[in-house]
Amino acid sequence: MPQFTTITFIFLTLCTATIAKPAKFKLDHSSSSSSSSTKKYTYVCDASRYASLGLNMSSFSFCDASLTYEERAKDLVKRMVLHEKVRQLGNGAYGVPRLGLPKYEWWSEALHGVSNVGPGTFFDHFVPGATSFPTVILMAAAFNESLWKSIGQAVSTEARAMYNLRRAGLTFWSPNINVVRDPRWGRALETPGEDPFVVGRYAVNYHYAAYDVDDWLGVDRFHFDARVRQQDMEETFLRPFEMCVKDGDVSSVMCSYNRVDGIPTCADPNLLKDTIRGEWDLHGYIVSDCDSIQVMVDYHKFLGDTNEDAVARTLKAGLDLDCGVYYTNFTAGAVAEGKVREREIDTSLKYLYIVLMRLGFFDGSPEFKSLGKDDICTKANLELAARAAEEGIVLLKNNRTLPLSPHQARNIAVVGPHANATEAMIGNYAGVPCRYTAPIDGFSRYGVVTYKEGCADIACKNESFIFPAMKAAKRADATVILAGLDLSVEAEGLDRTDLVLPGYQTQLINQVAEVAKGPVVLVILSAGGVDISFAKENPNIGGILWAGYPGEEGGRAIADVVFGHYNPGGRLPLTWHKADYVDMLPMTSMPLRPVPSLGYPGRTYKFFNGSVVYPFGYGLSYTRFNYSLSTAKRFVDLKVENLDYCRDLSYNHNTKRPPCPATSIDDLDCRHDIDFEVEVMNTGHRDGSDVVLVYSKPPHGILGTHIKQLIGFERVFVRKQSSQKVHFKINVCKGLEIVDYAANHVLPSGGHSIVIGDDVVSFPFQVNFS
């Protein structure tokens, strides 16, 4: 099913999680679901609607469907006077009654399901909820592009149904595709992880850039000035956004509160107008994170700008829509003072109305008009939510303990602060779920459950709850401990200061495992990594699972994995660092590469070479997989028109420098591919899914580049004692490029390596210039 709501991709952050009163966007000025003698109009250019307003629709060219959207939008904007124009530039657009243009609320959210965060969407007795899928970090762990696309389609179907029922708009600001640079970042749950390629592919399917400090030791996003090397910007921070604009053809991009290299992102013409609109060719609009212009004036005090200065500066930079009231209140004054031209406003309004026309706001969408209440919280969507959680869950440890047998584990002790989790499972930017299946509900399908909380809450400051949990474990055939974090520890506006479990949770886990009669399984609910080395090394804990924040069906998914109804195949989308990592560098340090002069280590798997608890891409299975590969060609000869085009690179002193170290990607014929097949063999006795991760490593001896980078992945289901072939065709320039110290995208000559998995198999690939 096609996408039919606009999905906004975020430049630097998501909108502020402010739960506001539901704004009643509708054309019929009524939210009632009951029948009425008053005709309800569902799109603007309905001739009978115009007649009811005492207007003749045929006199308005913007309602002429034979014209292009651009022509129609131009006609609509030309008919407005300045006062009317500025009232359409905020998220709550006022409409123009004399033109028959109704109000519209742009702000709706759909991070992992239709949300009531933002005034554009609301739930009530008629539509009490919508499907709440796992948070993005767990969906990313599935490494399954078809799953991401299916979820995006399901969410947009429910969103369109709610629009038809006059309980939502058409524009949804999701997802957050910032790369997780630091394990302490509170918004990791909203993102697809630390690898820019994975983040970008998630963005493309779920349908800008250096921000990941919310509030760390008094440094918050409203004041933060991200000092970013252009090399890191090109290589890591911008890449997912470029992919979603170019490959995903998104309808909108959002700029954030913070500054990058001293300039507020919503006032940076290089980022907004030149890069996103120009170089990437955005077909849509650029919107501010809510109240970002006010933050620019009141917090950043950027260049001493007045309110009128600020709106003029952001309009000229390429910001089309203000989530807030600054454009509405101060743009007319900025025009009167000669600080911005009216044609800048016209340009932004045309971008906005073209998007609404594409979505059917003006002409309707007959193919979707039948969608309604029966298309929300469907059985199929609930099953998809459960499958998404199952596919994302990662098996971290298994000492022949998992899966549990329902015949041997008839009495199950389910203990810990997340044992009866409900709201914690849906994370933030969540709406009202269709229902909750808590872990104790899921395990009750497999045996008799004894539930003990073990901690009063996630903070776990009272150890007196541990003893009842120990008593339950002594009597049970098997014990499942559900521990971890929640929004009181990691969230928007709340970064972590450590990487350990809160309060007495570690004591709870160790003491329960020490006395348990049967096997012990630990399940961690979190977004960011946690140093659970103690559990990894504890022989009394037979299995460990990471379940992220698994959505409304999370309890069922966890139990199904524990009892083998589903064989886990998820992989960690984040590195799980040891606790002392946070002592090595401040969160505000932006470079991804190590900073030797300060003793700072690198960030993400691409630049950190120290020991970790669990690496990026880690994940076990209840079966065993082996790889073999075949390649047709292990080299490429590329012609360089002029050797003056060669770019120099820095090498260590033991490496022989090639005659032409590298060439700019722009100067090469990049129509060459690395073409190979990986045969995945399931040698075990259970069917299962494996994620094939493909990395490239640059030629040996180049200084300042990544250790390795992910260039492809595929999730494949393989039946026991059988095999499946996975074909990869990776563009040479995209797969092997590096970004040099001057932020140029270059292809190095020499011997690259293509690595499958954690160096399970690999092959060399030679790049020759002539």
Side-chain angles (χ1 to χ4, degrees):
M1 204 170 194
Q3 290 290 106
F4 43 78
T5 58
T6 178
I7 300 295
T8 299
F9 289 85
I10 308 308
F11 169 41
L12 304 178
T13 185
L14 275 174
C15 292
T16 306
T18 302
I19 301 177
K21 288 185 178 180
K24 298 181 179 178
F25 155 67
K26 30 197 119 34
L27 290 168
D28 63 354
H29 310 292
S30 167
S31 63
S32 173
S33 61
S34 60
S35 61
S36 171
S37 59
T38 303
K39 179 175 173 60
K40 293 179 171 61
Y41 303 102
T42 57
Y43 56 95
V44 174
C45 296
D46 181 332
S48 61
R49 174 182 171 273
Y50 268 83
S52 73
L53 297 172
L55 299 171
N56 181 3
M57 190 182 84
S58 63
S59 65
F60 299 109
S61 295
F62 62 80
C63 278
D64 184 350
S66 68
L67 301 177
T68 65
Y69 290 151
E70 186 172 350
E71 291 170 327
R72 295 171 65 184
K74 182 178 180 180
D75 176 76
L76 173 57
V77 174
K78 283 178 66 176
R79 292 173 184 270
M80 298 182 194
V81 298
L82 178 61
H83 172 70
E84 292 168 332
K85 291 176 181 178
V86 300
R87 286 167 63 83
Q88 318 312 315
L89 291 173
N91 62 282
Y94 284 85
V96 184
R98 69 179 183 86
L99 301 179
L101 183 68
K103 297 178 180 180
Y104 181 72
E105 176 55 65
W106 289 88
W107 181 6
S108 291
E109 305 273 359
L111 182 62
H112 54 102
V114 179
S115 169
N116 57 357
V117 174
T121 305
F122 66 96
F123 298 103
D124 58 13
H125 69 283
F126 187 68
V127 182
T131 309
S132 187
F133 292 91
T135 57
V136 178
I137 193 70
L138 186 65
M139 289 195 284
F143 284 85
N144 186 342
E145 295 195 50
S146 64
L147 174 70
W148 301 337
K149 185 174 182 179
S150 295
I151 292 169
Q153 290 169 340
V155 171
S156 65
T157 298
E158 295 197 348
R160 175 66 74 158
M162 290 185 65
Y163 169 76
N164 290 348
L165 296 168
R166 303 170 186 87
R167 284 159 176 81
L170 288 167
T171 46
F172 288 78
W173 294 344
S174 305
N176 181 338
I177 57 166
N178 286 283
V179 172
V180 179
R181 176 185 56 89
D182 191 287
R184 291 163 285 194
W185 190 33
R187 300 187 75 174
L189 73 164
E190 302 172 32
T191 76
E194 72 180 39
D195 179 79
F197 179 72
V198 174
V199 174
R201 292 308 305 166
Y202 180 91
V204 169
N205 281 278
Y206 189 79
H207 134 274
Y208 130 126
Y211 153 76
D212 58 355
V213 173
D214 262 74
D215 193 342
W216 176 78
L217 299 180
V219 178
D220 64 40
R221 55 192 169 153
F222 304 113
H223 299 83
F224 185 50
D225 182 4
R227 295 288 172 170
V228 184
R229 294 175 181 173
Q230 195 60 32
Q231 183 182 28
D232 288 335
M233 185 72 84
E234 288 287 334
E235 185 176 53
T236 298
F237 297 122
L238 286 178
R239 188 181 183 194
F241 301 98
E242 180 179 9
M243 291 171 68
C244 74
V245 173
K246 286 184 174 180
D247 301 337
D249 195 23
V250 296
S251 296
S252 180
V253 171
M254 178 176 283
C255 58
S256 179
Y257 302 100
N258 62 286
R259 291 169 288 169
V260 175
D261 295 333
I263 303 174
T265 60
C266 291
D268 189 343
N270 180 56
L271 284 170
L272 306 188
K273 185 173 286 186
D274 297 345
T275 301
I276 300 174
R277 178 75 64 192
E279 182 183 341
W280 297 350
D281 192 24
L282 172 71
H283 301 142
Y285 65 94
I286 300 174
V287 60
S288 71
D289 204 337
C290 296
D291 301 318
S292 287
I293 303 176
Q294 180 183 354
V295 168
M296 193 171 99
V297 175
D298 294 343
Y299 290 81
H300 296 314
K301 301 188 185 300
F302 184 64
L303 299 180
D305 277 356
T306 65
N307 296 329
E308 288 76 15
D309 291 330
V311 298
R313 191 180 303 281
T314 53
L315 266 169
K316 289 188 286 187
L319 179 67
D320 303 308
L321 182 68
D322 171 27
C323 182
V325 297
Y326 262 54
Y327 270 9
T328 303
N329 292 344
F330 302 114
T331 303
V335 173
E337 294 175 18
K339 294 178 177 179
V340 68
R341 292 172 292 190
E342 192 169 346
R343 71 184 187 188
E344 303 275 5
I345 300 169
D346 294 351
T347 298
S348 290
L349 287 174
K350 281 184 279 188
Y351 289 139
L352 293 168
Y353 287 122
I354 286 172
V355 167
L356 287 182
M357 288 173 182
R358 285 165 49 193
L359 293 172
F361 182 71
F362 282 81
D363 304 325
S365 299
E367 65 271 40
F368 307 130
K369 69 179 182 180
S370 64
L371 293 174
K373 183 176 181 179
D374 290 344
D375 298 289
I376 304 168
C377 289
T378 64
K379 182 179 180 181
N381 284 356
L382 294 179
E383 291 302 313
L384 181 60
R387 181 164 72 89
E390 290 170 346
E391 288 199 18
I393 290 173
V394 180
L395 179 61
L396 298 175
K397 174 183 176 180
N398 191 17
N399 290 347
R400 298 184 179 180
T401 297
L402 292 171
L404 298 180
S405 166
H407 304 295
Q408 297 175 355
R410 297 178 181 272
N411 295 291
I412 314 159
V414 183
V415 305
H418 276 312
N420 193 28
T422 52
E423 290 185 15
M425 295 193 301
I426 63 174
N428 65 349
Y429 284 92
V432 179
C434 311
R435 66 186 189 190
Y436 286 115
T437 304
I440 56 174
D441 300 325
F443 284 106
S444 293
R445 298 166 57 220
Y446 289 95
V448 177
V449 167
T450 301
Y451 161 58
K452 298 296 178 182
E453 55 191 349
C455 298
D457 53 26
I458 289 298
C460 201
K461 293 181 178 179
N462 187 343
E463 61 182 323
S464 65
F465 291 91
I466 296 177
F467 185 65
M470 293 171 63
K471 287 180 64 178
K474 287 180 179 179
R475 300 168 182 166
D477 299 325
T479 298
V480 181
I481 308 170
L482 290 108
L485 314 177
D486 66 8
L487 296 183
S488 69
V489 179
E490 54 175 358
E492 182 175 16
L494 182 62
D495 298 323
R496 289 189 286 164
T497 57
D498 61 52
L499 302 180
V500 298
L501 291 171
Y504 289 105
Q505 284 197 43
T506 297
Q507 182 177 326
L508 164 71
I509 294 165
N510 283 332
Q511 289 187 216
V512 168
E514 180 68 27
V515 301
K517 181 180 76 172
V520 176
V521 179
L522 173 63
V523 181
I524 297 293
L525 269 63
S526 73
V530 182
D531 187 346
I532 52 170
S533 300
F534 72 93
K536 179 181 178 182
E537 297 162 3
N538 188 337
N540 296 320
I541 298 173
I544 304 175
L545 295 166
W546 174 71
Y549 297 115
E552 64 175 82
E553 294 298 305
R556 170 162 54 128
I558 291 168
D560 284 350
V561 169
V562 168
F563 276 93
H565 183 73
Y566 186 85
N567 187 351
R571 301 293 187 91
L572 289 179
L574 292 169
T575 301
W576 281 34
H577 286 279
K578 293 183 177 180
D580 63 357
Y581 183 81
V582 302
D583 301 321
M584 299 179 186
L585 76 173
M587 194 172 174
T588 49
S589 173
M590 294 301 295
L592 294 173
R593 289 162 174 77
V595 184
S597 62
L598 297 174
Y600 296 168
R603 295 180 178 277
T604 79
Y605 78 90
K606 294 174 68 174
F607 301 103
F608 181 75
N609 61 1
S611 61
V612 298
V613 182
Y614 294 109
F616 171 88
Y618 183 83
L620 305 174
S621 172
Y622 295 156
T623 188
R624 296 182 302 278
F625 296 103
N626 291 330
Y627 296 153
S628 64
L629 63 87
S630 62
T631 58
K633 192 176 180 181
R634 298 192 178 194
F635 68 92
V636 63
D637 294 323
L638 297 174
K639 184 173 179 59
V640 178
E641 295 295 336
N642 190 326
L643 290 180
D644 290 339
Y645 294 167
C646 292
R647 301 292 182 95
D648 198 11
L649 296 174
S650 297
Y651 293 85
N652 65 38
H653 66 279
N654 294 322
T655 301
K656 183 179 180 181
R657 184 185 305 271
C660 183
T663 301
S664 170
I665 296 295
D666 295 335
D667 296 331
L668 290 171
D669 176 5
C670 284
R671 294 174 296 176
H672 298 271
D673 297 309
I674 307 167
D675 200 326
F676 61 97
E677 274 188 348
V678 177
E679 184 175 11
V680 182
M681 295 165 284
N682 182 345
T683 61
H685 300 286
R686 287 179 176 270
D687 300 344
S689 294
D690 183 54
V691 175
V692 183
L693 300 173
V694 181
Y695 299 90
S696 69
K697 291 184 176 181
H700 178 71
I702 299 176
L703 297 176
T705 189
H706 49 262
I707 300 166
K708 64 179 181 179
Q709 64 178 350
L710 190 70
I711 60 174
F713 61 88
E714 187 75 32
R715 187 180 181 112
V716 58
F717 176 78
V718 188
R719 296 200 178 277
K720 61 184 179 182
Q721 298 296 307
S722 64
S723 66
Q724 289 285 341
K725 291 183 178 180
V726 184
H727 181 239
F728 289 95
K729 191 173 185 179
I730 299 168
N731 179 268
V732 166
C733 292
K734 289 183 178 180
L736 303 182
E737 75 168 4
I738 68 171
V739 177
D740 68 14
Y741 64 92
N744 300 305
H745 292 254
V746 301
L747 180 64
S749 63
H752 298 253
S753 296
I754 306 300
V755 177
I756 314 301
D758 189 17
D759 280 326
V760 177
V761 292
S762 64
F763 65 92
F765 192 89
Q766 182 75 23
V767 174
N768 303 314
F769 293 143
S770 61

